[in-house]
Amino acid sequence: MRYIPHTAEDVRQMLETVGVTSVDDLFAEIPSSLRLRRSLALGEPLAESELLKKIRRLAAQNATADTHASFLGGGAYNHFIPAVIDQLISRSEFYTAYTPYQPEISQGTLQAIYEYQTLICQLTGMDAANASMYDGASGCAEAVLMAVRATGRRRILLSSALHPEYLATVRTYCRYLDLDLIEVPCDAGGGTDGAALLRLLDDRTAALVSGYPNFFGVIEDLSAQAAAVHAVGGRLVTVVQEPIALGLLKSPGELGADIVVGEGQSFGIPLSYGGPYLGFFAVRQGDIRSMPGRLVGQTCDREGRRGFVLTLATREQHIRREKATSNICSNQGLCALMATIYLALLGKAGIREVAGHNLAKAEYAKGKIAALPGFSLPLSGTTFNEFVVEADEGAAVVLERLEKEGILGGIPLQRYFAGMDKRFLVCVTEQNSREEIDALVSALAGGKQ
Amino acid sequence: MKSLGTQGLILNEKLLFEHSDAGRKGYSLPRLDVPPARLPAALVREEVSGFPELSEVDVVRHFTRLSTWNYGVDSGFYPLGSCTMKYNPKVNEVAARTPGMAAAHPSTPDHLSQGALALMHDLQEALAEISGFPAVTLQPAAGAHGELAGMLMIRAWHEAQGNSRKKVLIPDTAHGTNPATAALCGYEVVPIASDGVLSAAAVAAAMGGEVAALMITNPNTLGLFEAQIREICQIIHDGGGLVYCDGANLNALMGIARPGDMGIDVMHFNLHKTFSTPHGGGGPGSGPVGVTAVLAPFLPVPVVVEEQGTYRLEVDRPLSIGRMKAFGGHFGIMVRAWAYIRSMGGEGLKRASEMAVLNANYIRARLEGTYHLPYTARSLHEVVFSDRDLGGNCHTLDLAKRLIDYGYHPPTIYFPLVVKGAIMIEPTETESKEVIDEFCDAMLSIAAEAGENPDLLHQAPKKTRVGRMDETGAARKPRLKWEK
């Protein structure tokens, strides 16, 4: 019981002060028929050394980019994480704090979130951002709900080139809200089909939701989409699942997006088998009061010293209860801090350089793979760091062969799309060396010889 | 004044953007070993305008200084009611950072992720044992997210039976997120008044054919056990409804009593409260949900299943409510909670609940008589006072700010809403008698100050880097980002 400080003598004195004779008496309000009459079957407590041995044994059964050459992306990305990040977030004044309800002793968290909000605005070209979303998918669902609130309309167009798990999350959130969710098909380039979009847009449309880059890695034509959706009075929701791309790409704000959401895991947050990650969420000035989540604002104290507080709480669940803008009550503080440190380290030049490396490596891999007999790149759209490959012999066979060579070659698209049994999604980041990419190409070719 | 807080070297620090100097960077990349590539010019931005330019040491010093303006559990006592701010064991941090765990990609094939899946399955089983629910999902990302998953399952169950009830009963002692969650599931909220503890008669009077569910917190936000819980569940079930329990206060019950044995149908866990994972300045948390066997088919996907010692993520479940987020959940938080449960064992968890309840009752005994206790029923792990008896026109906020000068994080204030001027104290089990005595001394001393020199409270805090903030001004003219 190394985390519990009470000695037998402490307990005796405390019980005396309380005025009861045993610890059990403290639970007298719990009817005896409800009391558990046995010990919890959870085994003996493990010593610290035993626990670490057990966790290492379990960890050894997982494949990672340390044990394999990894080309897995699809919403979670293997980017380099500078040592500074873990050192700084391990300062326990950051990680053992709660939501900053008492600003005088939470200025560290509050200022860091304010800096995070600013960085996200600069990157997305928007006016305000929060640090409250659990991940890109739930942020996407919250964006849909916000578009409905802001427009009073109930029809949502969703690009079918969005991440399938984001689409599924939107469907879950909207299950009982009587909304019209309509998927817009893709064109041959792998982007949202512009002609189909124009047919589906009408004055009942609250929003179009599309990716940038989308799930297939393709860079959508946001300007055209913004013009089309604005013409009917709807909002453009842009979903960025790989935000490193924004180091090179024009910002969604510049191209006309009204709400920008995305996944911040790429910014120094470990892959950690799917979480915790960081959903970012940014809006334009006019929508600040209808956005969900906690916001930090700048203000000053009685002496005029600059400081930061949680603000605009009138939108929140603990005040408006059933009329709240969402039921979110946390911010994703520590993950937002990781992203803030990451972006501060990269800065203006670094974000562009990292994006450039991702693009260059992916283009190199694309060129080599496209030249292999039996393989093709079925989508013609411009991509950033991931792309779809088609294999004549079938994706499952190919990926299994790669695995035997110690390569995690990509995500089979059959997992999400019936009929795509020949296609898989390959992601190349700055972490993949030329040597690794060449090994992937030669392993792909291996089956042919 | 005997005080833990003191004044020392408090360093000033600008915003990141105010440090920036053109040409600096704090990041290095390997030499590009492939030919450079270009995107079509029309797609490319000039630069990320406004981004800072800093060296590594600038960044390190900046965030190190910011950290010193924060108060965490490792700094001292954090008696934030209903938030369960217990000590966060360090070995849990090491466990979560084990490379095979921290670097695992969520789309790795199941057969190459057996360690992660085994840990998740083991955690599911442990949570089931602690709560008495046969099925558990780990996917929800936070308590409120778990609440949403749970209420969606309740609605899905009703719909599967062709039953479209539209109302949810919520007692006035409920957590703030509960009504918002019910509204997100398309339900209309019907409040029920309680007298500190919810009576079966009040539930019976409110129950009817339109009621889909009752949402309850047990122990409730006053720190009181809902003693009629079994009768209440029976009334709801007899009327064709289900019972949701907010598990935020489970820290009082581990090894003592199990919500699943009380007739409750769905409950979320807060791994960041009960199971010692740190809250990170407001997140990330994790909000697994336990359900009865009847509701198991409605769990969100994916579900971790075991077959002959092999684990896999199951996604094909026709009655499932769907996905709550991308991937499997906040795995890094699961690793920490798993490490905690395995470090404590069954007896350790029970001891934790016992000492949490003892600490709360000890605080109550020491402060009762000086501070007003609005509800006198026996307390479990937290105790609610009010500012009624504070002198000198001092209110809960003044007390909270004065506590900061004494070196403590204030308790939860103005919650629960049913108590005017509420002060909600939750010590948890990881605080020693010595710490609690010092805190109680501070509370008593502040009560005396309120009568004798109330300005000390009204002007507090005096020793922090900044004083009381102009929050009205912040909301009236929001400045939400830095601009030159």
Side-chain angles (χ1 to χ4, degrees), chain A residues 1-3 5-6 13-14 25 27 29 34-36 38-43 45-46 58 61-63 72-73 76 84 86 88 90-99 102 104-109 111 114-115 117-118 122-123 126-127 134-135 137 165 169 172-173 175-177 246 248-250 271-276 289 296-302 305-306 309 311 317 321-322 327 330-334 345-348 352-354 357 361 403 434, chain B residues 14-18 25-27 30 33 42-47 50-52 56 62-64 66-67 69-74 78 80 83 85 88-90 97 100 102 104-105 111-113 115-117 129 142 144-145 155-156 176-177 180-181 184-185 230 252 256-258 278-284 321 323-327 329-332 342-343 345-348 359 378 401 429-431 433 458 461 465 467-470 474-475 479-482:
Chain A
M1 259 38 105
R2 55 191 181 273
Y3 314 137
H6 300 71
Q13 286 179 22
M14 292 168 86
D25 292 345
F27 295 92
E29 298 291 302
L34 295 181
R35 296 287 298 271
L36 189 64
R38 61 172 178 82
S39 296
L40 289 173
L42 294 173
L46 295 180
L58 286 170
Q61 295 172 43
N62 297 331
L72 299 176
V84 165
D86 197 46
L88 288 174
S90 296
R91 289 193 63 95
S92 62
E93 300 93 330
F94 282 131
Y95 82 86
T96 75
Y98 199 70
T99 308
Q102 299 289 344
E104 299 89 347
I105 47 172
S106 312
Q107 285 299 308
T109 293
Q111 182 168 327
Y114 184 78
E115 291 172 344
Q117 290 175 180
T118 304
Q122 291 166 343
L123 204 55
M126 304 299 281
D127 298 322
Y134 309 128
D135 73 337
E165 296 190 358
T169 304
T172 304
Y173 270 68
R175 241 179 120 92
Y176 300 115
L177 296 181
L246 297 182
L248 274 176
L249 293 179
K250 280 194 172 143
L271 285 163
S272 192
Y273 201 56
R289 286 172 203 270
V296 171
Q298 182 184 316
T299 186
C300 53
D301 70 3
R302 289 166 175 175
R305 286 174 294 203
R306 176 168 71 184
V309 292
T311 193
Q317 36 82 19
R321 293 173 76 92
E322 64 271 17
N327 80 333
S330 50
N331 59 58
Q332 203 70 348
L334 202 68
L345 288 168
L346 261 64
K348 197 179 275 185
R352 201 172 181 86
E353 281 172 28
V354 173
H357 276 228
K361 303 256 181 173
E403 211 178 285
R434 178 180 194 143
Chain B
K14 296 179 276 195
L15 286 162
L16 271 178
F17 313 94
E18 297 163 342
K25 86 184 155 176
Y27 184 88
D33 56 2
L43 297 177
V44 179
R45 76 198 294 167
E46 268 181 31
E47 61 169 22
F51 250 39
E56 181 170 317
H62 176 76
F63 288 100
T64 303
L66 290 196
S67 77
W69 303 345
N70 255 12
Y71 190 93
V73 171
D74 286 2
Y78 218 117
L80 205 54
C83 298
M85 293 295 282
N88 310 124
K90 303 308 161 197
R97 285 169 174 79
H105 190 286
H111 67 274
L112 294 175
S113 308
L117 292 171
E129 166 66 5
H145 204 221
R155 176 122 190 211
T177 50
T181 301
L184 266 174
C185 299
R230 183 166 269 170
I256 310 281
R258 307 195 306 169
H279 211 291
I321 57 164
R323 274 191 165 277
M324 295 301 298
K325 64 183 288 296
F327 311 120
H330 283 182
F331 178 73
R342 291 294 156 222
S343 296
E347 280 304 304
N359 278 354
R378 201 181 288 265
K401 299 305 183 193
E429 71 281 3
T430 58
E431 301 305 327
K433 178 174 179 294
H458 291 135
R465 205 188 84 79
R468 280 197 213 181
M469 288 288 155
D470 178 9
R479 292 181 65 182
L480 305 175
K481 64 172 181 176
W482 176 84

Side-chain angles (χ1 to χ4, degrees), chain B residues 310-445:
Chain B
T310 303
Y311 303 90
R312 64 183 173 83
L313 287 171
E314 191 170 85
V315 288
D316 188 16
R317 295 169 67 97
L319 290 176
S320 165
I321 57 164
R323 274 191 165 277
M324 295 301 298
K325 64 183 288 296
F327 311 120
H330 283 182
F331 178 73
I333 307 299
M334 296 172 204
V335 176
R336 290 171 174 88
W338 177 89
Y340 174 72
I341 291 170
R342 291 294 156 222
S343 296
M344 297 294 277
E347 280 304 304
L349 291 181
K350 184 178 183 190
R351 176 86 174 163
S353 287
E354 288 176 343
M355 293 301 105
V357 173
L358 177 62
N359 278 354
N361 279 281
Y362 182 66
I363 289 176
R364 173 177 163 152
R366 286 214 49 200
L367 300 183
E368 199 174 349
T370 303
Y371 284 89
H372 175 243
L373 191 67
Y375 290 93
T376 53
R378 201 181 288 265
S379 300
L380 285 173
H381 66 306
E382 58 197 7
V383 55
V384 177
F385 293 102
S386 86
D387 62 6
R388 200 189 74 179
D389 297 343
L390 267 185
N393 196 27
C394 293
H395 297 286
T396 294
L397 184 71
D398 305 306
L399 159 74
K401 299 305 183 193
R402 185 63 180 150
L403 265 173
I404 294 173
D405 278 339
Y406 277 82
Y408 297 99
H409 193 287
T412 294
I413 55 175
Y414 302 108
F415 188 81
L417 304 175
V418 288
V419 175
K420 191 169 177 293
I423 304 158
M424 185 195 211
I425 304 173
E426 179 181 11
T428 84
E429 71 281 3
T430 58
E431 301 305 327
S432 65
K433 178 174 179 294
E434 178 191 4
V435 168
I436 295 202
D437 275 330
E438 286 165 358
F439 170 74
C440 289
D441 292 345
M443 287 287 287
L444 296 172
S445 164

Side-chain angles (χ1 to χ4, degrees), chain A residues 49-171:
Chain A
S49 55
E50 294 170 312
L51 183 75
L52 286 172
K53 193 178 278 181
K54 211 169 161 77
I55 199 92
R56 285 190 198 113
R57 203 163 290 162
L58 286 170
Q61 295 172 43
N62 297 331
T64 68
D66 294 332
T67 64
H68 289 64
S70 176
F71 295 90
L72 299 176
Y77 299 93
N78 173 31
H79 293 296
F80 180 71
I81 302 177
V84 165
I85 297 177
D86 197 46
Q87 289 286 312
L88 288 174
I89 66 140
S90 296
R91 289 193 63 95
S92 62
E93 300 93 330
F94 282 131
Y95 82 86
T96 75
Y98 199 70
T99 308
Y101 291 132
Q102 299 289 344
E104 299 89 347
I105 47 172
S106 312
Q107 285 299 308
T109 293
L110 287 163
Q111 182 168 327
I113 292 177
Y114 184 78
E115 291 172 344
Y116 167 81
Q117 290 175 180
T118 304
L119 290 164
I120 294 298
C121 288
Q122 291 166 343
L123 204 55
T124 56
M126 304 299 281
D127 298 322
N130 71 36
S132 284
M133 299 296 142
Y134 309 128
D135 73 337
S138 51
C140 181
E142 292 280 356
V144 166
L145 299 181
M146 192 190 123
V148 169
R149 275 195 306 276
T151 59
R153 299 176 176 186
R154 314 199 68 81
R155 185 178 163 101
I156 303 285
L157 303 185
L158 300 155
S159 165
S160 53
L162 283 170
H163 193 306
E165 296 190 358
Y166 287 35
L167 276 172
T169 304
V170 171
R171 284 194 206 98

Side-chain angles (χ1 to χ4, degrees), chain B residues 24-153:
Chain B
R24 286 192 195 142
K25 86 184 155 176
Y27 184 88
S28 60
L29 273 166
R31 190 182 58 79
L32 185 61
D33 56 2
V34 298
R38 273 182 206 283
L39 286 169
L43 297 177
V44 179
R45 76 198 294 167
E46 268 181 31
E47 61 169 22
V48 183
S49 173
F51 250 39
E53 296 177 78
L54 303 161
S55 68
E56 181 170 317
V57 66
D58 294 330
V59 173
V60 168
R61 208 164 269 167
H62 176 76
F63 288 100
T64 303
R65 287 184 183 173
L66 290 196
S67 77
T68 64
W69 303 345
N70 255 12
Y71 190 93
V73 171
D74 286 2
S75 313
F77 190 38
Y78 218 117
L80 205 54
S82 217
C83 298
T84 313
M85 293 295 282
K86 59 172 75 178
Y87 168 70
N88 310 124
K90 303 308 161 197
V91 67
N92 299 358
E93 298 301 310
V94 176
R97 285 169 174 79
T98 309
M101 296 295 182
H105 190 286
S107 298
T108 314
D110 289 350
H111 67 274
L112 294 175
S113 308
Q114 287 297 298
L117 292 171
L119 183 142
M120 289 170 78
H121 192 263
D122 196 38
L123 179 61
Q124 280 177 196
E125 306 249 287
L127 294 176
E129 166 66 5
I130 292 164
S131 62
F133 292 104
V136 172
T137 172
L138 300 175
Q139 194 181 52
H145 204 221
E147 237 174 82
L148 179 58
M151 290 305 290
L152 286 170
M153 283 187 258

